[in-house]
Structures are given as structure tokens and as C-alpha cells.
Amino acid sequence: MSATPVNRVISGQVTVFSRGSNSMSLEQVPLGIVIGILAAAAAVIGVTGTLIARFADELAVRTGLGEAVMGAVFIGASTSLPGIVTSMTAAAEGYPQLAAGNALGGIAVQIAFLCVADLAYRKANLEYAAASVANLLQGVLLVALLALPLIAVALPPFTIAGVSPVSLLIVAGYLAGLKLITSAGERPIWRPLRTRGTQREENEKPGKVRGSTRAIWMRFAVLAVIMIIAGYAVSADRYRDCNTHGLSETAVGALFTAVVTSLPELVIAVAAVRQGALNLAVGDIIGGNCFDVLFLAASDMAYREASLYRHFSGGEVCLTSASILMTAILLLGMLYRQKQGFAGIGFESALILLIYLTSVIVIVN
């Protein structure tokens, strides 16, 4: 008889039972220790996230990569590693919907995090000030990558060595899109209209952080490793297979593991905004989300029973569609460029938050 994943708090201890009668594993950790670990990890994320944003802003100027590319490639990808480990592990252990929920829920909540970053920037709407070629291209790439899993759901169950061809397309599309974004930043043929509120990266000069470029890279790398470890710790990945309060695997992945593994992105985005690195904040979220779509491809490769997309249900389709819609609204906001909106945020931030909350209600029910 197969056991249902259960998470119980009994006598101040967290007890976790894994699926399967022959492979049942039991972990008992005092609840106080678990809370202490999470609090310590959250504190580490707060400190390292602020420093990472500062070093990344300096490296963006020194290397000429620009804040948007720096945020997407170096910050977005590094802070996403705890999430990809969580999804791959869940898929390998036979929880495909949990893996997909973690990936798609992380993308959705990180777009919603831009609303928080928008609130932290009081001079103008964040999308108004951070409009750039790189951020717009990253948004378009994200929409294209998110469309591929929906196509996979409609395709016949064909696989190559147990992996859906769509997963290979996701990887190839991400790499091709990244190359396009980098080259477009070097020789842009389109530029946003410059206003008083628009951040001018080209006017920034190095020198905010002392030390050689190599030394700053080393500090950035060390902090990124610390952030990865702290992000994995705060995700409490050992308890990922809980069916708390009767929630589905998709809901647990989207509402619990996805949110906590996305905390580094939130901290870095807010820290970057407060330091004036607006394109870095937006690039961290959008570019990081492009990388997060790779979670699905990696999970599909880790899940050996069939294609991961065969297990997509209404929850996964809802999260994917909501993420596409939120990204499209974000792009509209960067193109329309409303300077001030309701409650000090743009119309796009208000709509994004509304769509995210609606999608949460749908997958819970």
C-alpha cells in the first residue's frame, strides 16, 4: 500500500514520510532548530543580497555588460540554483507536479516581486525608469519560452531517450535568446526616450566599490555561493513532499517551495532599487525567470517515468498562462511608460499583483 506524503508537527518535531511503502524515510528535526535555521538563512540572504547588488552594479559598469545583462545572467542564474535543485530532486523522486509547480510558481511570484520593488522606488514607476532594450528583449524571450511547455501539453507523447523534444527547444531557445540580448546591447538599433526619470547607465562611472575588477569578481562569486547555500537552506527542501492541509503537489510547489527559493531575487531586487541600479533589479527578475524556465527542461530530464509535461494539469496551465499574461503586461508597462500611477505604482504593477493573487486562488481551489 502506497503511503501518502504527510507533514506533521508532533510534540515539537517535524516528521516527514516519503512516498512508497518500501522506501519510507523518516526525518525528525526539532521544530525550534528548523525555525532557527530558516531565520539564520533569511538573515544571510538579506545581508549577502545587498552586497551582491552593490558588487553587480559596479561590475556592470566596469565590464560594459550593463545592469540588465548582469542581473539576468550572473545574478538571476546564480540565485536560481536552489530552485533548480529542488525541482530536479522532486522530479527524480517521482513528484513531477511538485517539480513543475516549483518552477512555474517561482516565475509567477518573481514577476509579482517587481511590485514590491516598484513600491521601494518612489521617484517614478519602476518600469518607467528602467525601460531598456535588454529588459524588453528578455521579456519577449520569457514569453516565448513559457509558450513551449503549453505546446508540449498539446503534442503527442513523443520523447527522445525519455526527454521531450520541447525540453531541448527550451534549452536551445534560452541560449540563442541570451546571445541575441547580449549582441543587441552592444549595438542597439532602438532606444527608449530619455526622460528625467530614466536611468542613464552610460553616465555611471566605476569607483563605487574599491578594489580591482578581479577582486570584485571574487567577492561576487563568494557571496553568490553563500546566497545559494542560504537559499537552499531556507527552502527547507527536505520537506518538499508534504501535502499540507490537503494541498496538491502543484499548490505546495507553487506556494511554498517556489516562494521561499525566490526570496534571494526579492532581496536583491529591492536592494538594487534602493542603490539606484534599476535595470539591475528588473534584469534580475526577468532574466532570472528566463533561466527558471530551464527548471522544466532539467526536471523533464530527471523524471524518468515519462515526459514531465504529460502530468500538466489545470494548475500548471494556469500558472504558465498567468506568467505569460503578467510578462506581457510588464512589457506594455515598459513601452507605455506611465510615470506615476495608483498608490505610487504603475498600472502594470497593480494588474500583475491582481493576476498573481487570482492564479493562487485558482490553483488552491
Side-chain angles (χ1 to χ4, degrees):
M1 180 177 178
S2 178
T4 302
V6 180
N7 180 22
R8 300 174 181 169
V9 180
I10 304 175
S11 301
Q13 290 185 325
V14 176
T15 306
V16 179
F17 296 94
S18 296
R19 177 182 292 173
S21 56
N22 297 326
S23 61
M24 185 178 71
S25 63
L26 178 65
E27 290 183 8
Q28 290 185 317
V29 180
L31 188 59
I33 294 180
V34 173
I35 294 174
I37 292 173
L38 296 181
V44 169
I45 288 173
V47 174
T48 56
T50 303
L51 292 174
I52 282 178
R54 183 183 177 192
F55 292 152
D57 189 27
E58 179 72 15
L59 289 170
V61 177
R62 293 196 184 196
T63 61
L65 289 173
E67 290 179 355
V69 175
M70 189 72 192
V73 179
F74 293 98
I75 297 182
S78 62
T79 54
S80 295
L81 290 179
I84 199 170
V85 170
T86 299
S87 283
M88 289 186 68
T89 305
E93 294 186 1
Y95 298 94
Q97 289 184 310
L98 180 63
N102 178 66
L104 297 169
I107 292 171
V109 76
Q110 285 170 40
I111 300 174
F113 282 166
L114 276 176
C115 302
V116 181
D118 196 1
L119 284 170
Y121 188 68
R122 306 314 303 158
K123 294 181 179 179
N125 292 337
L126 182 60
E127 291 78 12
Y128 171 84
S132 68
V133 175
N135 283 334
L136 287 169
L137 287 176
Q138 285 171 161
V140 174
L141 175 62
L142 179 57
V143 169
L145 292 176
L146 285 171
L148 292 175
L150 295 180
I151 294 174
V153 175
L155 291 176
F158 173 74
T159 61
I160 302 173
V163 178
S164 171
V166 172
S167 294
L168 304 178
L169 283 175
I170 289 175
V171 176
Y174 174 77
L175 295 175
L178 204 60
K179 182 178 180 181
L180 177 66
I181 291 166
T182 305
S183 60
E186 294 172 354
R187 292 184 299 174
I189 59 173
W190 178 89
R191 293 181 184 274
L193 177 66
R194 296 297 182 184
T195 67
R196 287 186 177 183
T198 305
Q199 184 187 30
R200 298 175 179 269
E201 286 190 58
E202 62 270 21
N203 292 339
E204 294 187 27
K205 297 180 181 180
K208 294 181 180 179
V209 180
R210 295 182 179 180
S212 65
T213 302
R214 180 179 179 182
I216 297 174
W217 271 118
M218 292 181 65
R219 291 182 223 169
F220 178 86
V222 171
L223 288 171
V225 171
I226 294 173
M227 176 72 82
I228 291 168
I229 296 172
Y232 187 81
V234 82
S235 72
D237 182 58
R238 289 165 296 181
Y239 317 118
R240 66 189 176 282
D241 50 355
C242 334
N243 243 358
T244 310
H245 302 301
L247 294 177
S248 65
E249 286 183 25
T250 305
V252 171
L255 301 181
F256 292 100
T257 60
V259 172
V260 294
T261 54
S262 298
L263 286 178
E265 280 85 355
L266 173 61
V267 172
I268 291 176
V270 173
V273 165
R274 289 182 173 177
Q275 294 172 20
L278 308 183
N279 284 294
L280 184 69
V282 177
D284 170 38
I285 297 295
I286 307 179
N289 276 346
C290 290
F291 184 85
D292 287 1
V293 183
L294 297 179
F295 289 14
L296 294 174
S299 299
D300 186 30
M301 297 173 188
Y303 185 64
R304 306 314 303 157
E305 295 182 19
S307 170
L308 181 81
Y309 310 107
R310 293 295 95 195
H311 294 276
F312 268 44
S313 61
E316 287 79 18
V317 172
C318 175
L319 284 171
T320 306
S321 302
S323 297
I324 292 175
L325 181 57
M326 287 189 290
T327 305
I329 291 173
L330 178 63
L331 289 171
L332 286 174
M334 284 193 285
L335 290 171
Y336 183 74
R337 304 186 70 192
Q338 180 188 37
K339 186 173 182 180
Q340 292 287 351
F342 173 75
I345 60 175
F347 76 91
E348 64 281 357
S349 292
L351 284 175
I352 285 170
L353 189 57
L354 177 62
I355 293 169
Y356 175 72
L357 293 176
T358 302
S359 67
V360 168
I361 295 172
V362 170
I363 64 173
V364 169
N365 298 326

